[in-house]
Amino acid sequence: MRLVVVSNRVTIPDRHEKATAGGLAVALREALEKHGGLWFGWSGVVGSTRQLRETQRGNVTYAVTDLSEAERESYYLGFSNRALWPIMHYRLGLTEFQRSDYMGYLGVNRRFARELARMIQPDDVIWIHDYHLIPLAAELRRRGITNRIGYFHHIPWPSADTLMALPFSTTLVRTLAAYDLVGMQTQVDARNLIDCLVNLCGARTDGRRVRLGMRETAVQPFPIGIDVEAFRRLAAASVRQAATPLRATRESLGERKLVIGVDRLDYSKGIVQRLEAFGQFLRSHPEERGRVGLLQIAPPSRSDVPEYAELDRMSDEVAGRLNAQLGEFDWTPIRVVKKAYSRTALAGFYRRAQVGLVTPMRDGMNLVAKEYVAAQNPADPGVLVLSRFAGAAQQLGDALIVNPYDIHEVAEAIRTALAMPKSERIRRFEALYHVIETSGIHWWTQRYLEALTGAPAQAEVVEPPSKVDSKVEPPVRRTGRKPRPAASDRGEAKSRAITVGQKRGAPPGETAHVSFAR
Ligand code: F6P
């Protein structure tokens, strides 16, 4: 078997890559090296030539293509990041839909499928990543690709009620049936997706597998992890290194305690709310003023999307206001640093910080939470404060779990974390460390690939959406009744004797036993 990975962005590794690449990139690369493989996707460059460029590194081929300016606008900035991203993060008010963006999104997926199909070999297993590429498998199937194809969704999947607000969502969700395996971050996301497939598309399910037409797709949670041991080593080494930002922080902070936040500058991360919560903490506990500071590292992201530019402005404004109101001539309560640091530097910051403040408004998993835990000194660990709306909260119940919409609750959690006795910090750390260690990134890739390669290969074509035409959007079904299947499905269903569908009259999502007998 050869592994083919497809992701929106592909970074071709250079000599220094091991030190800078994140756990996911390294783990996928390792899986590719193990099986021999191909990594396909966008080069990250916007250019006039869209020719495929291939680079060989050992037994892995990196095949990348540039996007045209129009493709970047519609596929990446438009449909992926102004429509799918906000709606998947439950932010209906920020969701901007343009038909031309959707057309561009489908167009890039079609082009990627055309290029990729030419490179696929009979025993390849294809693993597609992220919301930019949802319809890719349907496009590949249309080109006759019958290989096993898996998809992993790195961000949350909302309820059917939320997703329905996005035009053409039913058509888009339906294309997921072209995959043999769909991986989600959490059980909640998996359940939401199954509900969407059942209630919007008329699929049947046994709770783990979904049947739509004659295709069967497994939908399962695979909570993504980090390379715990590698990150722990980085953090331990950072303490000994002389010329790191950590050393400089130590000098500038002295004995003061440190609360840390590290996030892309993205509204889903709750950065502004977090700054407000830290301000509230200092107002509620004036005795802490001058004794602790918040360092928020926030490398800019997607700055061509207006909502991100607005967040950039707002975070400066809020940090400036709070510093002016609460600071002293010799103490700045909040530092917001809008640049990226190396993983070594981040590991050092995490280790130095008494509190890791990870409070997204909604997040697929959030690996910063796991990295913060991995970086701690086991003999004197810091405390993780974690949003209940991060996927990581499903696993890391020994963190201080908070509602990021309640700045008073977050403020009190900061206080509790700073005052927590060492014995309790150690107990919580050990429990958290055990979880991240037993569900690390290598476990994740292995489990996913085992599930994908074990899945039965199926040849049936799922029609990808070919044009923006409201007639292709089937009516939404909100009852337990099955919609009338397409003629071809009716014929297949009869001859293959598929027996039970969703329970008649049952609330959406509730299903009777389903037999998938062929
Ligand atoms: O978490 C989803 C994700 O698309 C990641 O795969 C990616 O690394 C991150 O968001 C940043 O996104 P972008 O490629 O838009 O900078």
Side-chain angles (χ1 to χ4, degrees):
M1 152 199 149
R2 184 178 77 145
L3 179 62
V4 175
V5 170
V6 189
S7 61
N8 173 49
R9 279 177 201 273
V10 179
T11 311
I12 301 168
D14 58 25
R15 283 191 303 282
H16 316 288
E17 194 61 23
K18 283 266 170 190
T20 53
L24 174 62
V26 172
L28 288 177
R29 227 170 267 158
E30 281 174 11
L32 283 164
E33 279 159 13
K34 182 167 158 200
H35 300 281
L38 169 69
W39 195 335
F40 177 95
W42 178 31
S43 60
V45 173
V46 176
S48 48
T49 158
R50 299 189 301 175
Q51 223 157 14
L52 209 60
R53 293 191 298 280
E54 289 183 32
T55 308
Q56 197 65 33
R57 291 273 187 273
N59 61 351
V60 181
T61 307
Y62 292 83
V64 296
T65 174
D66 299 347
L67 292 183
S68 69
E69 186 52 48
E71 285 175 330
R72 187 178 90 108
E73 283 285 336
S74 56
Y75 151 83
Y76 173 70
L77 294 175
F79 192 69
S80 295
N81 286 324
R82 294 195 77 187
L84 284 179
W85 180 270
I87 206 152
M88 296 274 176
H89 287 85
Y90 298 71
R91 300 294 284 271
L92 280 174
L94 298 181
T95 302
E96 292 270 341
F97 176 79
Q98 299 278 348
R99 284 188 171 210
S100 53
D101 289 343
Y102 183 50
M103 289 285 274
Y105 176 85
L106 297 179
V108 169
N109 273 275
R110 212 170 294 133
R111 175 159 84 82
F112 278 16
R114 207 169 42 237
E115 309 265 19
L116 186 60
R118 283 200 280 267
M119 308 173 85
I120 297 299
Q121 298 166 9
D123 70 337
D124 284 351
V125 168
I126 306 168
W127 190 3
I128 295 169
H129 290 259
D130 249 342
Y131 56 102
H132 316 78
L133 302 172
I134 291 172
L136 188 57
E139 292 289 352
L140 287 168
R141 298 277 184 230
R142 199 154 69 135
R143 283 164 179 78
I145 300 295
T146 57
N147 303 53
R148 285 180 183 154
I149 311 182
Y151 170 73
F152 187 77
H153 190 72
H154 288 258
I155 63 177
W157 192 282
S159 67
D161 271 348
T162 305
L163 196 68
M164 266 165 58
L166 180 70
F168 301 98
S169 49
T170 300
T171 315
L172 190 64
V173 170
R174 201 178 167 83
T175 65
L176 283 169
Y179 291 95
D180 298 296
L181 174 66
V182 173
M184 292 278 146
Q185 295 279 21
T186 68
Q187 187 65 55
V188 174
D189 298 321
R191 215 178 307 125
N192 282 343
L193 172 59
I194 291 174
D195 281 356
C196 286
L197 284 159
V198 168
N199 293 311
L200 303 183
C201 309
R204 287 163 295 157
T205 185
D206 65 355
R208 282 172 70 84
R209 291 166 304 162
V210 164
R211 178 167 281 265
L212 192 57
M214 287 311 297
R215 282 206 56 85
E216 190 179 305
T217 302
V219 180
Q220 286 170 40
F222 294 89
I224 196 166
I226 62 165
D227 187 339
V228 176
E229 180 51 23
F231 207 76
R232 186 196 65 73
R233 271 191 267 114
L234 270 188
S238 73
V239 177
R240 294 189 296 272
Q241 283 164 9
T244 61
L246 176 66
R247 176 72 47 109
T249 314
R250 204 179 285 144
E251 277 152 22
S252 70
L253 281 173
E255 291 306 303
R256 284 183 183 126
K257 289 188 173 176
L258 179 65
V259 175
I260 193 158
V262 177
D263 312 82
R264 274 185 314 106
L265 192 57
D266 190 304
Y267 52 79
S268 65
K269 305 292 183 184
I271 294 168
V272 165
Q273 294 83 348
R274 186 180 311 159
L275 301 181
E276 294 285 11
F278 192 73
Q280 182 57 45
F281 155 72
L282 293 173
R283 274 192 293 271
S284 309
H285 301 282
E287 72 284 1
E288 296 286 356
R289 294 188 196 173
R291 292 164 56 176
V292 57
L294 169 65
L295 172 61
Q296 175 64 53
I297 295 174
S301 171
R302 305 173 190 168
S303 2
D304 293 338
V305 175
E307 290 75 17
Y308 288 72
E310 171 63 8
L311 172 67
D312 194 2
R313 193 191 59 71
M314 264 180 76
S315 53
D316 286 351
E317 190 184 297
V318 172
R321 169 170 50 80
L322 292 171
N323 281 336
Q325 285 172 357
L326 299 161
E328 295 289 344
F329 72 93
D330 59 350
W331 170 67
T332 305
I334 296 172
R335 296 177 213 206
V336 179
V337 185
K338 290 183 178 168
K339 60 181 276 200
Y341 283 93
S342 71
R343 298 182 59 69
T344 314
L346 288 179
F349 287 134
Y350 292 139
R351 195 166 175 114
R352 167 67 179 80
Q354 282 72 22
V355 181
L357 203 45
V358 182
T359 53
M361 312 314 280
R362 189 67 69 164
D363 215 333
M365 176 52 56
N366 198 301
L367 295 182
V368 168
K370 296 186 174 184
E371 287 177 353
Y372 178 76
V373 173
Q376 295 311 298
N377 173 1
D380 189 14
V383 178
L384 176 65
V385 175
L386 180 60
S387 162
R388 66 183 335 118
F389 302 121
Q394 305 296 315
Q395 294 179 290
L396 304 181
D398 281 285
L400 294 180
I401 303 293
V402 293
N403 177 355
Y405 289 88
D406 184 347
I407 62 166
H408 290 271
E409 187 180 317
V410 177
E412 283 317 299
I414 296 170
R415 168 81 187 124
T416 306
L418 288 169
M420 192 177 283
K422 196 195 258 189
S423 58
E424 186 177 348
R425 283 189 279 123
I426 291 176
R427 183 191 63 71
R428 285 176 185 265
F429 162 77
E430 285 175 352
L432 294 172
Y433 196 88
H434 176 73
V435 173
I436 62 168
E437 197 182 24
T438 50
S439 55
I441 189 69
H442 300 291
W443 170 85
W444 179 81
T445 27
Q446 196 184 329
R447 257 190 79 220
Y448 187 93
L449 286 174
E450 272 169 18
L452 177 59
T453 50
Q458 302 164 75
E460 180 150 329
V461 172
V462 172
E463 270 306 307
S466 54
K467 56 184 182 332
V468 177
D469 174 355
S470 48
K471 282 196 237 96
V472 301
E473 189 83 337
V476 168
R477 193 167 63 94
R478 300 302 302 156
T479 69
R481 299 224 339 257
K482 268 193 301 185
R484 189 172 158 74
S488 57
D489 291 350
R490 287 202 301 273
E492 286 286 315
K494 232 185 247 161
S495 63
R496 297 202 186 187
I498 289 177
T499 51
V500 191
Q502 188 177 11
K503 207 193 305 175
R504 192 170 278 274
E510 190 184 321
T511 50
H513 170 73
V514 178
S515 161
F516 286 129
R518 281 163 217 245

